Amino acid sequence: MSYGSPTLDRLVDRLSGTQDPRRRYEFVLWLAKKLPPLPEVFRQDAFKVKGCVSQVYVVGQLANGTLHWQGDSDAQITKGLLALLIEGMEGLTAEQVTAIDPSFLAATGLQASLTPSRANGFLNIFRTMQAQAARLEATRLTAEPSS
């Protein structure tokens, strides 16, 4: 099944292909370690994900029509979930990001082993990224000169 990006599809396949919840967690923690540090300038309320128990920041930037993401969290599992979303939605257009169906979250199999607050946080991070994508696209469209 396609969820909106080949990278996201691969990540979902990798996670859903494992029945061992511990292996899923190990993969998520590995993704967390790969996430580059977030510059301090982005650690502000404008980029903070609402509805997460952990401190989570995510920043989308639009360049040449595609989105590029950065983020961080003070909790390793949450940071790994954020890294999964960043990797899965990197380089997409705003339209592609806003069109992604959240059903992929359940398809990962992660929600079965996440606490309810982490599962909710995972969805909140995703929704925040979609909202940022929509705002960035709206800003781009209003900034373009009309023909």
Side-chain angles (χ1 to χ4, degrees):
M1 178 167 189
S2 179
Y3 293 100
S5 91
T7 304
L8 188 58
D9 295 346
R10 277 195 309 278
L11 291 165
V12 171
D13 287 347
R14 169 100 187 247
L15 287 162
S16 66
T18 233
Q19 296 307 311
D20 183 358
R22 197 183 73 194
R23 297 281 309 234
R24 284 192 201 110
Y25 267 117
E26 288 169 357
F27 181 66
V28 167
L29 291 171
W30 177 76
L31 289 172
K33 287 179 187 162
K34 287 181 22 175
L35 197 62
L38 181 68
E40 279 302 314
V41 68
F42 295 123
R43 293 178 188 277
Q44 53 182 289
D45 281 347
F47 303 113
K48 191 172 183 181
V49 177
K50 311 292 185 254
C52 282
V53 175
S54 306
Q55 300 292 306
V56 184
Y57 298 91
V58 66
V59 181
Q61 295 174 305
L62 194 57
N64 299 319
T66 60
L67 285 156
H68 305 282
W69 302 97
Q70 299 177 74
D72 196 15
S73 175
D74 61 353
Q76 287 301 300
I77 290 291
T78 307
K79 186 174 183 173
L81 298 172
L82 172 64
L84 184 150
L85 293 171
I86 286 174
E87 190 170 324
M89 293 194 281
E90 176 64 24
L92 299 180
T93 65
E95 187 175 71
Q96 289 171 314
V97 168
T98 57
I100 293 174
D101 185 327
S103 67
F104 80 89
L105 298 170
T108 64
L110 286 166
Q111 289 182 305
S113 52
L114 293 174
T115 63
S117 64
R118 279 227 171 94
N120 190 47
F122 195 19
L123 180 61
N124 288 339
I125 296 166
F126 173 67
R127 292 286 190 215
T128 298
M129 292 173 80
Q130 284 188 313
Q132 280 188 27
R135 277 194 307 275
L136 288 165
E137 180 65 6
T139 300
R140 183 186 71 80
L141 291 174
T142 57
E144 281 184 0
S146 53
S147 22

